[in-house]
């Protein structure tokens, strides 16, 4: 059964820093991997989707990479802003038609 | 227009009651899901429907019964509510056949008192 882990669990950085969030998964037979953002008391907002055949995806200041063989994905946030403060979740789509979620990284960007 | 909408957003009810949460998606997706987010913020799959057919039924008490009248709707009915059912329930949809991204509703915060 797929297990998804995210490190670190919490991260606090000053505004303007570049940062990396890590996601690891145990079963490399994924169809895709998706990064989400969740604000307190809110739903999940999709940030980036990486298909299993892709290595990375970019959207604005966000860049997500995928290394299936090592079971890892990273989310790179450039020039962080206070508005980036949220919980970031990764989810792997496996056979069986379900997304397995990681434990999340709570990010705080300090002005 | 909201892509995946859930109602109600908040639900407070007493133990033993029966309640329903509704979910609708206007994305034309073929797969819908219910996830439960516990107090530690971990999201766990409960059910998955593909073209109105139940695909996934994780270890969920049979007090929880999903119903999909059509591809655009997946409702969740809960009987005999217990304190431990308190959580945030998220509905989601995706086009599984194309491995596209999943879209989530805003969640329903259920509090059982």
């Amino acid at each position: 059964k797929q297990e998804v882990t995210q490190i670190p669990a919490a991260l606090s950085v000053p505004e303007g820093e570049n940062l990396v969030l890590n996601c690891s998964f145990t079963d490399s037979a994924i169809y895709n991997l998706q990064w989400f953002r969740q604000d307190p008391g809110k739903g999940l907002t999709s940030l980036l989707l990486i298909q299993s055949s892709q290595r990375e995806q970019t959207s604005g200041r966000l860049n997500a990479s995928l290394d299936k063989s090592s079971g890892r994905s990273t989310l790179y946030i450039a020039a962080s802003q206070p508005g980036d403060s949220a919980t970031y979740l990764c989810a792997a789509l496996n056979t069986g038609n379900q997304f397995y979620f990681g434990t999340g990284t709570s990010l705080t960007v300090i002005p | 227009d909201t892509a995946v909408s859930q109602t109600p957003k908040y639900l407070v009810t007493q133990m033993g009651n029966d309640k329903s949460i509704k979910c609708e998606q206007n994305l034309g997706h073929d797969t819908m899901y219910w996830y439960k987010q516990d107090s530690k913020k971990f999201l766990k799959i409960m059910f998955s429907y593909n073209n109105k057919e139940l695909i996934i039924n994780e270890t969920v008490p049979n007090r929880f019964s999903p119903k999909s009248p059509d591809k655009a709707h997946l409702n969740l009915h809960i009987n005999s509510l217990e304190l431990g059912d308190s959580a945030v329930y998220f509905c989601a949809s995706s086009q599984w056949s194309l491995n596209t991204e999943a879209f989530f509703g805003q969640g329903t915060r259920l509090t059982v008192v």
Side-chain angles (χ1 to χ4, degrees):
Chain A
K1 187 175 180 179
Q2 178 73 278
E3 290 186 8
V4 181
T5 306
Q6 291 185 245
I7 295 173
L11 182 62
S12 184
V13 299
E15 182 177 1
E17 272 203 9
N18 302 324
L19 56 100
V20 175
L21 307 181
N22 297 292
C23 172
S24 61
F25 45 94
T26 55
D27 183 354
S28 62
I30 62 171
Y31 289 119
N32 64 43
L33 189 133
Q34 194 168 354
W35 282 91
F36 294 88
R37 166 185 174 143
Q38 185 175 27
D39 293 282
K42 303 290 185 181
L44 279 69
T45 301
S46 178
L47 297 173
L48 288 165
L49 172 75
I50 311 177
Q51 299 286 359
S52 61
S53 59
Q54 297 174 325
R55 296 283 293 182
E56 66 178 302
Q57 282 288 323
T58 299
S59 175
R61 295 182 293 108
L62 305 179
N63 176 277
S65 67
L66 176 64
D67 184 343
K68 273 185 55 177
S69 60
S70 65
R72 292 180 183 175
S73 176
T74 62
L75 179 66
Y76 175 83
I77 302 177
S80 59
Q81 301 171 359
D84 295 331
S85 298
T87 296
Y88 290 80
L89 296 158
C90 66
L93 178 64
N94 276 82
T95 307
N97 195 25
Q98 68 167 299
F99 291 89
Y100 289 89
F101 276 86
T103 46
T105 294
S106 178
L107 173 65
T108 302
V109 180
I110 304 166
Chain B
D1 277 347
T2 304
V4 181
S5 59
Q6 296 177 228
T7 54
K9 189 173 181 180
Y10 300 98
L11 185 54
V12 181
T13 188
Q14 290 185 323
M15 284 176 55
N17 283 351
D18 303 338
K19 290 293 179 184
S20 292
I21 307 172
K22 295 185 177 181
C23 179
E24 176 182 5
Q25 55 97 1
N26 61 6
L27 299 165
H29 286 165
D30 60 4
T31 304
M32 295 185 72
Y33 312 81
W34 276 107
Y35 278 84
K36 179 179 180 179
Q37 188 172 44
D38 59 25
S39 57
K40 295 183 179 179
K41 308 300 183 187
F42 184 65
L43 275 154
K44 188 173 180 182
I45 185 78
M46 298 176 68
F47 301 103
S48 169
Y49 269 72
N50 179 259
N51 288 316
K52 300 194 302 174
E53 298 290 328
L54 180 64
I55 302 297
I56 295 171
N57 181 354
E58 289 291 297
T59 308
V60 177
N62 57 16
R63 298 181 294 104
F64 290 78
S65 55
K67 284 186 172 53
S68 182
D70 53 58
K71 286 198 321 181
H73 296 84
L74 180 62
N75 304 322
L76 183 65
H77 189 74
I78 315 170
N79 290 326
S80 304
L81 278 156
E82 300 176 357
L83 292 176
D85 297 332
S86 296
V88 181
Y89 293 84
F90 285 99
C91 176
S93 74
S94 70
Q95 187 66 19
W96 183 59
S97 56
L98 298 177
N99 293 335
T100 56
E101 61 189 311
F103 290 84
F104 279 72
Q106 289 300 298
T108 295
R109 181 174 294 277
L110 172 66
T111 303
V112 182
V113 298

